[in-house]
Amino acid sequence: MSQLQLLGAPHWRVHTPVPARHGIAPIDALVLCMLALDGPCERRAMALRLWPGKTEAAASRNLRQHIFQIRRVAGDAAITGDGVIALASDIRVDVHEAPTRLAADAQAAQGELLQGVLAPSGELQNWLDGERAHWLHRLAQALAEQAGRAAAAGRCDEALPYAERLVAQWPDDETHYHRLMQLHYLQGHLGAAMEVFRRCEETLWREDERRPGAALRALASTIAAASPLVSPAPGRPPVPMQMLRPTSLVARDAEWQRLEAAWQAGQVMIVSGEPGLGKSRLIGDFAVARQALLVGARPGDASVPYGVAARVLAALQARCGAPDAVWAREEAARIAPWVDAVPVGPTHRPRLHAALKEWMAAAWQRGLPGVVLDDLQYADEASLEVLLDAAAEGSGHWLFAVRAAEWPALLRDRAADAPGGGTQVLQLQPLTRDGVAHLLESAGVQGETARQWCDAYCRLCGGNPYFVLQTLIGVEAQAQPLTDGALPVVPQLMEMMARRFDQLSPMARRLVQVLAVAGEDFSSEMAADLMELPVVALGDAWRELEGACLLEGQAFAHDLAREAVQQLMPQPIAVALHRQ
């Protein structure tokens, strides 16, 4: 299989019989670009387009020679047809694959279309210039979509590289600065957000002698006041940004002290908690305070060997530079193609792991305080192994975070086997009533109103900070006061609860169904009787539900859990269970 690279200096990547890279001459590149972007072309028309000053016979002869050169490198079947020619369907083209590659890497699809190539005629140059402009438009759309999708899912750290690239590549477009400023605020980096504004001011004045527009100036003013507004969706009132991300970490003083103690003692700490309890906010703020490197695994990483490790290497290089050891850079290039080195010889796993540890050692020597890794439930096993090995060696400081019900087996085994208490686990718990009241106040709710509605939020959300904030946003979206003491049930939270129940064991799911139907009459004896089991057999499922913050005592920990189970249970099943 051959890969046609049209971005940057055009070249082939041919994979058989051995991997190789071949440059492409300008005319050959134009032929391939026309076939890749316009589809099948009539041979005579293409020849006259490329050589407008020649006779039809001479132009056709030239085109035949260039097609021969292309086939010599990429294979006889690279270009098919006779009167109408086309690019073979099995040739991969980087421009076509760009959306998929960008979804995995914000720095993919670099370079100008046919960089350095000039067309032989004015008409063909106009076509090439138009295709270059069209490609840049598609690229901007793809980057903005990836940034928007990640931000909407609450993964601001994942959205940032896309937003940064948009600003870097289109420095005169204020909408890109606006997006980047909001993302920095949502991560709590107010200084970084204002630095983006200052960069915008300098760029616009230098290039066009103009000031940022009113919308961007207003956002800068509100960020400086720590109470900015998110641009509202059409037809909806604006949502205060502090509801999306309170300006300070709330009610986690004891947890912060434990992180601080473990950090100072050189112990590895694993923060675990159910989705929404705020583990990412806690470790993110801690990483900022300690000036540590913060990297997160992402959905899909589990299927990419060393994918998370490569992301760590990228962050290390950006922060501390690459190590001096040439062999370490060569080995790293096997999993991180952006490393300025060429691998030598076959892959040798122990040598690759040694190289990754060499990168870490160089970072410690250059003053990196530590590494904070989030969402390890998504990480691939190869990355986990090498990163956990590096942490176990005792160099630098390490902090990990993982969802409570989704620990990778390797992480769980390493935590259990850690000798001498070298690894600690911090299990986050829901906020207390006072913590919920403090959270409401930090999100902009007036003190008296926060105290008045605190119990209602505790009943519905059970002290889960994310649930509280999303419900608060739902209240704000109604744009009318609550009068009956009932809070809205946000559909997004129902979907989240449904996904959580899908992760429960069959026994735990049966147990919560009994609880949802029985209500106040529920007891362990009743559940055991209905499920035709001894009471002791419910122990594991009971502990699973308590650990998932779904069960408290002999009742649901919060009303969202009860509502979700009742919605998920088919009505005939609920009726039959009620009859029993």
Side-chain angles (χ1 to χ4, degrees), residues 30 38 49 113 117-134:
L30 284 167
D38 291 348
R49 194 176 182 188
L113 183 68
V117 172
L118 294 175
S121 69
E123 179 187 351
L124 197 55
Q125 186 63 48
N126 290 337
W127 172 84
L128 181 56
D129 291 341
E131 290 298 331
R132 284 168 172 164
H134 180 59

Side-chain angles (χ1 to χ4, degrees), residues 91-113:
I91 288 179
R92 297 167 54 188
V93 184
D94 58 349
V95 174
H96 296 163
E97 295 182 335
T100 301
R101 293 177 58 209
L102 284 167
D105 180 7
Q107 302 308 318
Q110 294 279 1
E112 181 186 43
L113 183 68

Side-chain angles (χ1 to χ4, degrees), residues 123-187:
E123 179 187 351
L124 197 55
Q125 186 63 48
N126 290 337
W127 172 84
L128 181 56
D129 291 341
E131 290 298 331
R132 284 168 172 164
H134 180 59
W135 158 247
L136 289 176
H137 177 70
R138 287 177 53 203
L139 176 62
Q141 280 188 318
L143 292 170
E145 287 173 4
Q146 291 297 334
R149 188 175 295 115
R155 301 191 300 272
C156 293
D157 60 328
E158 183 179 328
L160 271 173
Y162 296 98
E164 285 280 11
R165 183 172 175 187
L166 283 165
V167 166
Q169 197 148 357
W170 290 274
D172 58 345
D173 191 330
E174 293 185 37
T175 60
H176 302 325
Y177 291 100
H178 196 282
R179 176 187 293 106
L180 185 56
M181 289 170 66
Q182 286 190 339
L183 288 171
H184 277 305
Y185 175 80
L186 290 175
Q187 287 200 307

Side-chain angles (χ1 to χ4, degrees), residues 190-200 202:
L190 301 186
M194 295 308 298
E195 181 58 35
V196 172
F197 180 72
R198 286 190 287 271
R199 193 196 326 170
C200 177
E202 293 173 0

